Amino acid sequence: MTISPYAAETDTAVSDVAPGGGSVAEPPSPPGGLRTAVGGPVVMALFGRAVRRLALRVELPDGRMLGGAVHDPAAPRMLVHDPRAFAARVAATGLIGFGEAYMAGDWSAPDLPAVLTVLAADLAHLVPAPLQSLRALVLPGHPLATRADAVGARRNAAHHYDLSNEFFATFLDETMTYSAALFDRLDPAPVWSDLAAAQHRKIDRLLDGAGVGPGSTVLEIGTGWGELAVRAAQRGATVRSVTLSSEQQGWARRRVAAAGYSDRVSVELLDYRAIDGQYDAVVSVEMIEAVGYEYLPDYLASLDRLLAPGGRIALQVITMPHDRMRATRHTHTWVQKYIFPGGFLPSETLLTELLSTYTGLRVEARQAFGDHYAQTLRLWLDRFDTAADRIDALGFDEVFRRMWRLYLAYSEAGFRSGYLDVLQLVLARPAGTELPEVHR
């Protein structure tokens, strides 16, 4: 059996999906579009020119090599097994095609994160500037079905988080924490046994920032698998945690019960827009990325509405540079198509502007630790690679495994190159601040 992670947009399994229809194992070809037929050779020419200045060795089946490090045997190696199929996919759908080419086996890399890190560091310049202006004309936009309104947000969450609790358990540590850890040190060869403690360090810093202690009323938006809620309850707090994933809700409720905190922690299947009440502390870890660009004002206004006077909010947020966010916010990406439908990574600049416009909240404290996320992802990917048999036994096929391997490696590369960052932000209302008129 093949379990489909593509259910948010279609009932077809991911191994059966390719741009424009057909199988991902079959590259687009005429009559699939003139751009694909003509664009293939152009893509290979542009690709060769783009990697010429990069510290890569791109090896072709005929023995030719491209890249700026063809004479360096230690440079990251990208192996293009089927140049025609690779070029056809990229010509058809840009970076979506680049990802699908990896899923189909058109290219591979002995050290995938290393190759992607080199590419991510130069992502803004890989496509010539004149062609970047044509992005909106030639690349697909966001499907309406993935808009993160109340209905779409539930469907988007199910696409990712309801795959299988057992699947996520194949590469997460025993805390089942699926967000950046905060290590006491960075290590070029990180040790798996350090990860759980690093996740607790991250959680504790968020709870400290939000002022969670005995008697606190805590709202958690985005339950995950329950570790933060349990840790808050251990401090003597009462926790209301909400999620859109039925799989996570079931696991978290069992986790809470096993820890003996069912009287202090509730886990509800509820959209953030439907939450009522006010809370001393609001905590949300890497959930804002699922909100979507158009709903960010609503989300931030909800945080403001739900915070009791004198309370604090602790957020963990993945961000990207403001100029890249502006350039790509209307483009449908490979990650959105296959991993996080409806997802959107804000810039810190955008968040600051929206907080000022739509809320009375201001940033009291911040910490950036993207290099710690890179280390977290390296441990997840290493664990994932050792779990192929377990993943097979759960019913996921080889294309699915390549898809998720690319996602984990791509994410590590984003943080390792500095293209992505992760922040912990503490928000509060300055004394005497009134809610903006927009809320009344």
Side-chain angles (χ1 to χ4, degrees):
M1 178 181 71
T2 297
I3 300 175
S4 172
Y6 200 65
E9 297 176 44
T10 176
D11 293 329
T12 308
V14 69
S15 55
D16 295 328
V17 175
S23 169
V24 75
E26 299 171 357
S29 59
L34 181 62
R35 187 169 78 243
T36 297
V38 176
V42 174
V43 163
M44 286 307 296
L46 289 174
F47 180 69
R49 180 180 301 176
V51 300
R52 188 182 304 159
R53 66 183 186 281
L54 302 182
L56 282 180
R57 284 163 50 99
V58 180
E59 302 179 12
L60 303 178
D62 61 6
R64 288 182 298 138
M65 289 197 290
L66 309 173
V70 295
H71 302 297
D72 181 4
R77 298 167 60 219
M78 177 179 176
L79 313 178
V80 180
H81 306 293
D82 189 336
R84 184 197 68 81
F86 171 82
R89 293 183 203 278
V90 175
T93 51
L95 289 178
I96 290 178
F98 182 82
E100 289 175 331
Y102 181 84
M103 292 163 61
D106 298 338
W107 69 274
S108 64
D111 187 344
L112 184 59
V115 168
L116 294 175
T117 297
V118 173
L119 294 173
D122 199 58
L123 197 56
H125 306 103
L126 285 178
V127 178
L131 295 181
Q132 289 191 33
S133 63
L134 301 175
R135 178 191 304 272
L137 297 177
V138 300
L139 295 180
H142 299 295
L144 290 177
T146 66
R147 291 179 70 236
D149 55 18
V151 174
R154 173 69 184 91
R155 183 169 56 241
N156 293 345
H159 172 94
H160 188 82
Y161 295 105
D162 287 351
L163 280 171
S164 160
N165 288 330
E166 291 72 21
F167 167 71
F168 286 98
T170 63
F171 66 90
L172 299 181
D173 67 88
E174 62 265 30
T175 70
M176 287 291 284
T177 306
Y178 185 42
S179 52
L182 186 60
F183 296 88
D184 61 356
R185 69 185 186 282
L186 295 174
D187 192 330
V191 179
W192 177 260
S193 58
D194 290 341
L195 183 53
Q199 292 292 7
H200 284 157
R201 186 177 296 108
K202 175 269 301 293
I203 291 171
D204 289 345
R205 193 178 189 283
L206 286 163
L207 296 178
D208 289 345
V212 175
S216 298
T217 57
V218 179
L219 171 67
E220 180 187 24
I221 304 179
T223 305
W225 284 273
E227 188 71 14
L228 187 147
V230 167
R231 209 146 176 93
Q234 289 172 343
R235 294 185 175 208
T238 301
V239 184
R240 183 186 189 188
S241 186
V242 302
T243 179
L244 291 179
S245 167
S246 57
E247 287 281 311
Q248 287 187 331
Q249 182 193 36
W251 182 291
R253 283 179 167 177
R254 292 189 294 273
R255 168 82 177 88
V256 167
Y261 293 114
S262 295
D263 59 333
R264 290 191 192 172
V265 178
S266 65
V267 182
E268 303 172 42
L269 204 63
L270 192 67
D271 188 272
Y272 68 87
R273 284 160 283 220
I275 304 170
D276 57 5
Q278 289 193 318
Y279 304 84
D280 301 324
V282 180
V283 184
S284 188
V285 183
E286 295 179 27
M287 182 272 174
I288 196 171
E289 300 83 0
V291 167
Y293 176 76
E294 64 181 308
Y295 295 105
L296 272 175
D298 292 344
Y299 175 76
L300 296 174
S302 294
L303 297 181
D304 202 357
R305 170 179 59 84
L306 294 164
L307 186 66
R312 284 185 288 176
I313 299 168
L315 302 180
Q316 188 160 305
V317 184
I318 300 171
T319 62
M320 66 187 304
H322 190 64
D323 59 337
R324 296 302 302 157
M325 182 211 74
R326 288 176 55 85
T328 61
R329 68 187 179 194
H330 299 303
T331 301
H332 191 43
T333 68
W334 179 86
V335 170
Q336 290 166 335
K337 180 174 181 178
Y338 287 103
I339 307 295
F340 278 112
F344 167 76
L345 300 184
S347 68
E348 189 173 1
T349 298
L350 176 65
L351 290 176
T352 301
E353 292 173 352
L354 294 178
L355 285 169
S356 178
T357 302
Y358 294 98
T359 80
L361 301 168
R362 298 298 179 266
V363 177
E364 268 196 354
R366 73 181 290 280
Q367 180 182 15
F369 57 112
D371 45 2
H372 290 254
Y373 216 152
Q375 183 157 304
T376 305
L377 283 152
R378 171 53 56 97
L379 290 169
W380 288 347
L381 180 57
D382 288 347
R383 195 76 159 188
F384 184 88
D385 283 344
T386 66
D389 290 344
R390 293 170 60 197
I391 295 169
D392 278 345
L394 292 171
F396 296 100
D397 68 8
E398 184 180 356
V399 175
F400 176 90
R401 289 199 313 275
R402 283 201 295 263
M403 179 181 75
W404 262 81
R405 189 169 194 277
L406 179 62
Y407 165 60
L408 293 172
Y410 162 88
S411 300
E412 178 188 339
F415 290 103
R416 204 167 290 285
S417 68
Y419 184 78
L420 302 177
D421 204 351
V422 63
L423 311 176
Q424 283 190 359
L425 302 176
V426 176
L427 311 180
R429 295 191 200 98
T433 300
E434 296 183 0
L435 295 181
E437 194 67 30
V438 70
H439 293 304
R440 299 183 178 181

